[in-house]
Amino acid sequence: MPQVRNPILPGFNPDPSILRVGDDYYIATSTFEWYPGVQIHHSKDLANWELVTRPLTRKSQLDMRGDPDSCGIWAPCLTHDGEKFWLVYTDVKRKDGSFKDTHNYIVSAPAIEGPWSDPVYTNSSGFDPSLFHDPDTGKKWFVNMLWDHRRRPLLFAGIALQEWDPVSGKLVGPRKNIYRGTELALVEGPHLYKRNGWYYLLTAEGGTGYDHAVTFARSRDIWGPYETHPDKHILSSKDHPHAALQRAGHGDIVDTPDGKTYLVHLTGRPTTQRRRCVLGRETAIQECFWKDDWLFVKGGPVPSLHVELPAARDEDRYWETKKYSFDAGEGLHKDFQWLRTPESERIFNLDNNKLNLIGRESIGSWFEQALVARRQEHFSYDAETVIDFSPTDEREFAGLTAYYCRYNFFYLIVSAHSDGQRELLIMASEASWPVGNLVLPLSNPDSVVIPNEGKVRLKVTVRGKELQFWYALEGEQELKKIGPVFDASIVSDECGGHQAHGSFTGAFVGVAASDLNGTGRVASFEGFVYTPVKHGSDRYEV
């Protein structure tokens, strides 16, 4: 079988839940504050994946206005019971401090494309819920990690099990803490399986940083007691800091039609000596084998960069330039998402092959900001667009941004001085948690004054750790540099808010608009081009 280089889902695609229905494989991943909620990819061969749907598309299913950065949708679980698809997810409203407000829901659909039902609320006792369909009894079991704000003795108190009744839509019967994890602690991400008379419990431990791991346990009875794997952790990079794939953990397993078992898991590929994961937590895959009714990772526990899969990956597709037109008839391309709100009509529309952003709150707002972006999936890339925008003062601005969250972004904007004269400025928020203050590398009198009429071409180039903005006025062919060279690794998990085990997304590049006067001034964007670039400094890709 061909060797495929990990990850199989590059860029921000964490907490994978994998499923096979017939010859079709599906992976669901977390989307956090990005809307619509949950990404589901499809594959026939485990190597080549296509985004097919984001099922949480309407207000009745998901409204994340007010959710802080890296809250929202955590760790979805996608299953199929022989009749329909089931999707379990958490909407996190608070994550920092002693408390976590984590509300768990279930939706279902007859087909992966939908229609997906309105959510059924289950509980709020913890996060990372999973639904297990017992093939022998026909019962459905709900598991999630338990959160104990008292730390008596641990915040991550264990894995809770309870039966779920699909008729009443409620949890029924007793709830039991069936597994408290190992000394690595921070037990989460549970999935249940049944094989050869054993119930298996797969969990994540060690937090989602560099001590992350996949832990495995088994029991003859679903209620336990669960015996931990003789190796404890079947996958981890925690003791191997030079492994190509770091932060390996939070996994799920799937069997192929010919009986092979694979583990998908999140991973990070740090760059620079500061070990920053610009692409966030990605999805990788490992081949596994069974011995004495225990699961082992081939070559493990350290994850392999290259894995044998049923087919080769289409590398040409991975490196192709993506040219997006904003055709109203086709709708916003599936590569793009926005932040938090189910009421997208309040922040953008498509008309005359333009993306019109309606200026709302400031960039980084947790409520209603007009920002539309796609994932950064390569360590080096170019992105550009053309903006048509006529601001009246400094409170109206729009442009091109490399964005992670309110605490780390770079933003080239068209704005105006208080006298109405248009200008180009750069806003930067460089690891500014917890305050969120801006750095303004270009400020009056150093701003670039531009005519009050005319379109502006905006571009950002990223070459490894170096980020540079460019611009050209209408009628000009040659782009000009603007501003200094920035540290592109700032737009990473390690530089977000609450940086230790607290920033969970990844770098995006896109367009944004703000109107702090409250008048909803519109900025129009003509096209968007994302070009991956092979660069010698990118050790993972060249």
Side-chain angles (χ1 to χ4, degrees):
M1 292 193 297
Q3 293 264 332
V4 174
R5 188 205 301 255
N6 272 311
I8 53 171
L9 296 181
F12 161 46
N13 285 287
D15 310 325
S17 169
I18 192 167
L19 168 68
R20 180 176 64 84
V21 180
D23 294 328
D24 297 289
Y25 297 94
Y26 302 97
I27 290 179
T29 52
S30 301
T31 43
F32 294 87
E33 66 264 36
W34 291 91
Y35 212 96
V38 181
Q39 293 213 130
I40 299 179
H41 286 80
H42 169 259
S43 176
K44 287 285 190 179
D45 56 24
L46 294 174
N48 298 284
W49 295 85
E50 177 77 21
L51 178 64
V52 291
T53 189
R54 295 190 185 99
L56 306 181
T57 60
R58 58 187 185 268
K59 187 176 180 180
S60 63
Q61 295 172 318
L62 183 63
D63 188 343
M64 298 184 290
R65 285 174 287 192
D67 288 10
D69 292 326
S70 287
C71 288
I73 297 299
W74 285 17
C77 174
L78 181 66
T79 58
H80 194 275
D81 65 357
E83 296 183 0
K84 59 182 175 179
F85 290 92
W86 298 86
L87 181 68
V88 189
Y89 62 95
T90 307
D91 181 8
V92 179
K93 300 301 183 184
R94 174 185 174 178
K95 69 175 177 65
D96 291 342
S98 296
F99 292 102
K100 276 184 170 54
D101 294 316
T102 56
H103 308 309
N104 297 316
Y105 302 92
I106 299 175
V107 294
S108 60
I112 200 69
E113 297 84 4
W116 288 89
S117 68
D118 278 346
V120 175
Y121 171 77
T122 55
N123 67 16
S124 301
S125 59
F127 49 88
D128 292 2
S130 179
L131 191 63
F132 170 62
H133 313 281
D134 193 314
D136 297 324
T137 68
K139 291 183 176 181
K140 299 184 187 302
W141 297 93
F142 191 88
V143 288
N144 62 270
M145 67 78 65
L146 280 172
W147 183 261
D148 186 349
H149 57 275
R150 309 166 305 162
R151 296 180 181 262
R152 228 187 247 181
L154 299 169
L155 283 171
F156 289 68
I159 302 303
L161 172 72
Q162 193 170 5
E163 186 181 351
W164 185 72
D165 177 14
V167 177
S168 65
K170 294 181 179 180
L171 294 169
V172 295
R175 183 183 76 185
K176 181 181 178 181
N177 188 338
I178 60 171
Y179 188 68
R180 300 180 187 274
T182 72
E183 67 276 7
L184 189 58
L186 307 181
V187 63
E188 57 184 341
H191 291 291
L192 275 171
Y193 318 92
K194 195 170 189 181
R195 178 189 176 101
N196 294 341
W198 291 98
Y199 288 96
Y200 291 96
L201 178 64
L202 182 149
T203 64
E205 288 191 288
T208 193
Y210 288 90
D211 290 327
H212 210 20
V214 173
T215 304
F216 209 57
R218 72 183 184 186
S219 173
R220 288 293 188 185
D221 189 316
I222 196 168
W223 291 106
Y226 281 83
E227 170 193 5
T228 300
H229 193 284
D231 292 343
K232 292 185 181 177
H233 316 299
I234 63 171
L235 184 81
S236 183
S237 308
K238 64 185 180 65
D239 300 319
H240 299 270
H242 299 295
L245 302 180
Q246 291 292 312
R247 305 172 66 184
H250 200 120
D252 194 8
I253 59 175
V254 68
D255 291 333
T256 64
D258 60 0
K260 288 190 174 181
T261 300
Y262 285 90
L263 168 74
V264 293
H265 63 94
L266 70 77
T267 191
R269 294 180 289 168
T271 63
T272 78
Q273 292 183 337
R274 295 182 177 181
R275 305 186 84 197
R276 290 174 174 170
C277 295
V278 176
L279 302 189
R281 300 174 305 151
E282 308 170 277
T283 290
I285 191 168
Q286 306 296 327
E287 186 178 350
C288 300
F289 63 94
W290 293 89
K291 182 180 178 181
D292 299 328
D293 286 326
W294 283 114
L295 184 70
F296 295 84
V297 171
K298 185 178 179 180
V302 182
S304 298
L305 181 62
H306 296 91
V307 177
E308 289 186 351
L309 293 179
R313 186 170 72 172
D314 185 348
E315 293 292 337
D316 291 339
R317 185 175 169 210
Y318 175 66
W319 289 105
E320 70 180 0
T321 295
K322 302 293 286 289
K323 296 181 179 180
Y324 303 99
S325 62
F326 298 119
D327 186 332
E330 297 178 358
L332 186 68
H333 193 280
K334 62 185 179 181
D335 287 350
F336 289 94
Q337 286 182 275
W338 60 95
L339 287 162
R340 295 181 176 85
T341 180
E343 297 179 347
S344 60
E345 68 278 5
R346 285 188 49 82
I347 60 172
F348 72 85
N349 60 69
L350 303 178
D351 184 48
N352 293 324
N353 293 319
K354 296 179 181 179
L355 171 64
N356 300 311
L357 294 188
I358 304 164
R360 296 299 182 192
E361 296 173 342
S362 57
I363 186 169
S365 167
W366 290 346
F367 290 87
E368 191 175 54
Q369 61 165 312
L371 189 155
V372 174
R374 56 149 292 160
R375 283 159 177 74
Q376 178 184 339
E377 296 178 347
H378 306 78
F379 291 99
S380 297
Y381 71 91
D382 298 341
E384 64 178 281
T385 188
V386 174
I387 184 174
D388 188 358
F389 184 50
S390 300
T392 62
D393 65 18
E394 65 273 24
R395 281 166 290 277
E396 299 168 0
F397 48 89
L400 178 66
T401 182
Y403 184 88
Y404 186 98
C405 70
R406 70 160 55 174
Y407 302 112
N408 44 341
F409 62 82
F410 301 102
Y411 189 16
L412 172 60
I413 62 169
V414 176
S415 187
H417 190 45
S418 56
D419 60 5
Q421 176 62 54
R422 274 206 316 175
E423 59 185 8
L424 294 174
L425 289 170
I426 295 176
M427 295 180 178
S429 179
E430 302 185 48
S432 65
W433 180 84
V435 179
N437 284 338
L438 288 175
V439 176
L440 297 170
L442 296 178
S443 58
N444 199 44
D446 298 320
S447 60
V448 176
V449 176
I450 60 174
N452 277 358
E453 300 294 331
K455 302 172 185 177
V456 185
R457 182 181 170 197
L458 305 177
K459 183 173 183 177
V460 60
T461 59
V462 172
R463 299 294 182 270
K465 67 177 181 179
E466 296 184 349
L467 183 150
Q468 177 71 61
F469 283 116
W470 308 73
Y471 80 98
L473 300 178
E474 189 169 12
E476 297 178 343
Q477 297 298 316
E478 186 175 346
L479 286 158
K480 307 180 187 70
K481 289 183 180 179
I482 181 170
V485 174
F486 292 100
D487 182 356
S489 72
I490 290 290
V491 190
S492 65
D493 291 350
E494 290 75 14
C495 297
H498 185 78
Q499 292 112 18
H501 306 296
S503 293
F504 304 137
T505 57
F508 281 69
V509 60
V511 294
S514 294
D515 183 348
L516 307 187
N517 290 316
T519 63
R521 185 165 295 275
V522 173
S524 296
F525 295 87
E526 298 180 10
F528 191 91
V529 180
Y530 176 90
T531 304
V533 174
K534 295 182 179 180
H535 190 250
S537 67
D538 302 336
R539 69 185 180 100
Y540 296 108
E541 294 180 332
V542 177

